[in-house]
Amino acid sequence: MSKSIYALATLDTKGEEIGYIAECLRKANVNVTIVDIGTKDAPTINADIPREAVAACHPKGADAVLKNTDRGIAVTAMSEALEIFLKREYDAGLVSGAIGIGGGGGSALVSPGLRRMPIG
């Protein structure tokens, strides 16, 4: 399996937008994997990697992320899970880079994971 750029977004609110970015990258012959990091509503597009797979990387398990009704707690927990997930995927040679989009919550969710990615 070749390395891929991971396109990260909360697919319940930013599915259409990350889908557009993925489409542009694919037109440029870039391997793209869409990763859902949503915590609330159902995704608006299909993910290559569902939120459950990312949430399962949380030290307390997926329920610590996806069963939270408090948005702030859920977003913080997904962010923690994403950091572990991205490191695991990078160490396995699956991801060569990542791009993430979001509003305030989505950006706060993605940023810690992206900071853990190597530069260059």
Side-chain angles (χ1 to χ4, degrees), residues 6-26 32-36 42-46 99-103 106-107:
Y6 279 25
L8 313 166
T10 56
L11 297 188
D12 49 353
T13 61
K14 300 291 186 258
E16 191 175 316
E17 294 84 351
I18 202 70
Y20 173 75
I21 290 170
E23 179 185 332
C24 291
L25 289 169
R26 288 179 179 133
V32 179
T33 300
I34 296 176
V35 181
D36 183 14
T44 59
I45 66 167
N46 291 326
I99 185 171
I101 62 166
S107 295

Side-chain angles (χ1 to χ4, degrees), residues 29-75:
N29 294 318
V30 174
N31 230 5
V32 179
T33 300
I34 296 176
V35 181
D36 183 14
I37 53 174
T39 60
K40 190 176 177 185
D41 297 325
T44 59
I45 66 167
N46 291 326
D48 298 307
I49 299 176
R51 62 182 67 175
E52 293 82 6
V54 179
C57 292
H58 191 278
K60 294 181 181 176
D63 284 352
V65 178
L66 300 175
K67 297 287 182 179
N68 270 303
T69 55
D70 181 280
R71 180 177 181 259
I73 293 171
V75 166

